[in-house]
Amino acid sequence: MKKLRKMLARAVPSGRTGVIAFPFAFLFLFFFVPFILVIGISFSQQQMGIPPYTPLAELKEGVLNIALNLSHYQFLWNDDLYIATYLSSLKMALISTFLCLLIGYPIAYYIARAEPSTRNTLMMLVMLPFWTSFLIRVYAWVAILKNDGLLNNFLIWLGLIHEPLRLYHTNWGVYIGMVYSYLPFMIMPLYAHLVKMDLSLLEAAYDLGAKPWRAFFQVTLPLSKNGIIAGSLLVFIPAVGEYVIPELLGGSETLMIGRQMWSEFFENNDWPMASAVTCAMVILLLVPMALFQHYQTKEMEES
Amino acid sequence: MMNERMNSQALAATQNERADFVQVIDVVKNFGEHVALNSVSLTIKKNELFALLGSSGCGKSTLLRILAGFETATSGKILVDGEDLSRIPPYRRPVNMMFQSYALFPHMTVEDNVAFGLKQEGVPKNEIKERVADVLELVQMKKFARRKPHQLSGGQQQRVALARSLVKRPKLLLLDEPMSALDKKIRQKTQLELVNIIEKVDVTCIMVTHDQEEAMTMATRLAVMSDGEVIQVGTPNQVYEYPNCRFTAEFIGSTNLLDGVVVEDEPDHVFVECPGLDQRLHINHGITGPLGMEVSVSIRPERVRVTREKPEQKYNYAHGVVKDLAYMGSYTLYHVQLANGKIFLANLSSLVLASDDAPSYDDEVYVSWGASSQVVLTS
């Protein structure tokens, strides 16, 4: 009887395994498998028909032929426009991340130091924009940034400017849109780190002779380092591949990889090229993602 | 002649300064409606280790935070070495604090933690190095200089925190519940170590604690606080042996309080009649107060004898039944129920208990004490 139960226990997975298995299965099916497919497509060739690419492996007269076509990657590497687009994407994502940090840190700091009863309300307000569609919110910025939009009309009415500022269809518009959209992702991890900080550490710093701003730079800032890293990566990683914001707010000079991917897919109908663009971007992002993982696990070990 | 007089004046002045090195004058602190400190005045001598003792919410921590500059007094003044601290921000006060949680900077090594305060002052690098090394030597933490705080035990963290608050050579050192984060076992040892270190560096020190044993062991003088007021100030011995009110008598150690009325008051003795007690209490010192005044008489349990036979003395005994025995190792605590139902506590040393004849449960016994073992409390 005992033996039987033991065997049964070995055969049927425990609850723990089951709980972990579910997200694993989900990620495997809906993330890993599609990604392998995309990698596969990136090594094939464009053709007319459905699907619009050649199969990777073919069975011809009993012989399995596998043809890996590296030409798309070669093209990516040699084409100046693609390299410029990647660099420009990285630059725009970096600047947006930096601006988010500059604006988000004071906000997160203020919320974390607010009365406990008002903290939740303030965090609610930070997350409130998520209640409406991302697309609609970016469209709303079009109405604000246009030459005869709300912002320009307001500034002209104030008499600060006489000619409308060109923001719409420029990189400035993209920065504004990116900072606006990704700011909550910066504020949330920063807030989480700042709110749990032991305030007696600051008192100790004052007590030992540190003026408030020195206490901030020597104690608060270093202690929120992991929050800064987490927030920056949460903004940077999606910002690199952002499509909607540069498409709607950016101009012809806005080079971003998301737009390039879109045009390869839908305008040129070149799936293999689009896949190669995607894979190259993932490889590019692996470094920051690995960093993110590294800091997350390190922090978990520390606490 | 002139010179001599000047010298004696200067001497008197320094003695005066020594006596009133820290002056807390009429300090009031209100948090909205709540009165945290109600006109507290204290003077603390130079190089004294002064304890603020009281249960939580008595205002002792508020006073400490006002001294450190983290709170501002609603009214009143604080002078340290003649300097009014009221308008000086915490980062410019000649005061350093050892925090209850130690508040060591987790991202810095032991060395950097201790050097932090000196760096803020702009002390030259060589001197910082020297002073940090010296103070770490003093607290015997030199070999841990490169560790991070989370790699240290509680006792080691405490010593680093102490070093950090001493390295700037403050005029006044504040200790906030210094032992509360330590295991009970190492507390006693640590208490004495801490006192030794503080004595070595000649610093005036104010500590806050809710633990009366800690205050008694460490402090040269202490102030008993309750509800935002100072109830009594004195040496540990004075406060224990001569409490000035019921609160102190019950708060410091345990005691038996007998309520009664003064029936005879002479300069050298007093008689107090207690309802429920067959004979009067004879107290061998006079008190100030009218006949018929209601008083409480405090008798410490360790001053009480427990015997089967009726004691020979005429006064100061009572008859009762042993209801409970609590064996505490070095002594046993007797709970004796008197005729009026009140429980009377008595400590019997284990030496006495060693005899076979020691009273046990439900035995009828007499509790008795000497005329000098009582303190009359009028408030």
Side-chain angles (χ1 to χ4, degrees), chain B residues 66 84 102 104 114 127 138 141 145 154 206 210 240 281-282 286:
Chain B
I66 290 174
D84 186 356
Y102 310 141
L104 295 174
V114 177
E127 198 190 329
L138 178 72
M141 285 297 292
I206 299 180
H210 66 274
Y240 185 81
L281 299 179
H282 170 241

Side-chain angles (χ1 to χ4, degrees), chain A residues 186-253:
Chain A
M186 180 64 86
I187 293 176
M188 279 188 277
L190 279 176
Y191 167 78
H193 275 82
L194 287 169
V195 78
K196 72 177 183 198
M197 195 184 125
D198 181 2
L199 288 184
S200 65
L201 292 176
L202 272 186
E203 285 184 346
Y206 299 151
D207 188 68
L208 291 166
K211 293 191 181 83
W213 65 271
R214 291 194 75 167
F216 172 79
F217 281 107
Q218 293 179 31
V219 178
T220 311
L221 200 61
L223 285 177
S224 55
K225 187 186 82 189
N226 284 335
I228 294 173
I229 291 170
S232 298
L233 290 170
L234 279 179
V235 173
F236 179 75
I237 292 169
V240 171
E242 179 57 47
Y243 165 72
V244 173
I245 297 169
E247 182 63 25
L248 292 182
L249 300 176
S252 51
E253 92 265 22

